[in-house]
Amino acid sequence: MTGSERPLTEAIALAVSRGWRQRVLAYITRAPHELLVFEHPPLYPDAGIQVPAGGVDPGETPAEAVIRETFEETGLRLHSPVHLASFHWTRGENSQVWHYLWLAAPPTTPDDWTHQVTGGETDQGMTFHCRFVPQSTHGLIPGFGYEAALPHLQRLIPAH
């Protein structure tokens, strides 16, 4: 997968003009050094470790989409997302625009929990295991772009 970073408004305009899918990825922290990740049920061992993510629905902004996706995939009702970066990704003939946003979880959020997904095309009804991990050892599935905006997050909220 190859990607190029774009400003938010330019990335949205590019996706709309080309009819490309837009996705959001949520970097959720509870403390500066932590990152919320989740794992799929054992039925999908190759899915790896991911962050909450999903498509931007028609008429929805990336900020609205990341709030909805976060709730659907983790059960957390978070607000005030901060845009970190947007990338135009190409894999073969497929192009998409991914928007990375940061959300802060309350300090009282548990270390880990399970959540049954309440929306989405293929994930609805699955149970995800959510947990906070150190940003430095996130374990995100490599090669899929999930970690692409972590340097932006680390500049915004240094881990140390």
Side-chain angles (χ1 to χ4, degrees):
M1 183 183 314
T2 59
S4 60
E5 188 170 355
R6 311 264 176 156
L8 178 62
T9 54
E10 181 183 315
I12 292 170
L14 177 66
V16 169
S17 70
R18 303 274 174 93
W20 293 340
R21 182 175 189 215
Q22 294 183 73
R23 289 179 44 91
V24 292
L25 290 88
Y27 288 166
I28 300 168
T29 60
R30 180 184 61 178
H33 68 283
E34 296 176 322
L35 180 69
L36 180 70
V37 298
F38 72 82
E39 295 176 85
H40 284 76
L43 183 61
Y44 299 96
D46 297 334
I49 297 173
Q50 301 178 20
V51 294
V56 177
D57 289 342
E60 198 174 42
T61 67
E64 292 166 339
V66 80
I67 289 169
R68 176 184 48 76
E69 287 290 344
T70 294
F71 179 70
E72 289 175 0
E73 295 188 357
T74 70
L76 295 174
R77 288 196 183 275
L78 304 177
H79 305 284
S80 304
V82 174
H83 177 258
L84 297 169
S86 292
F87 286 86
H88 164 218
W89 293 105
T90 302
R91 175 184 262 168
E93 299 294 318
N94 184 19
S95 286
Q96 296 183 357
V97 171
W98 289 15
H99 307 287
Y100 297 78
L101 295 103
W102 168 61
L103 293 145
T108 56
T109 306
D111 291 338
D112 63 81
W113 67 96
T114 57
H115 175 74
Q116 188 171 19
V117 179
T118 60
E121 298 164 4
T122 57
D123 294 342
Q124 187 167 356
M126 285 186 180
T127 300
F128 288 168
H129 176 225
C130 303
R131 60 192 167 96
F132 284 99
V133 298
Q135 284 184 37
S136 60
T137 57
H138 52 73
L140 294 171
I141 187 169
F144 284 90
Y146 291 110
E147 75 291 347
L150 281 175
H152 296 278
L153 177 64
Q154 291 159 354
R155 281 192 295 274
L156 180 69
I157 50 168
H160 302 289

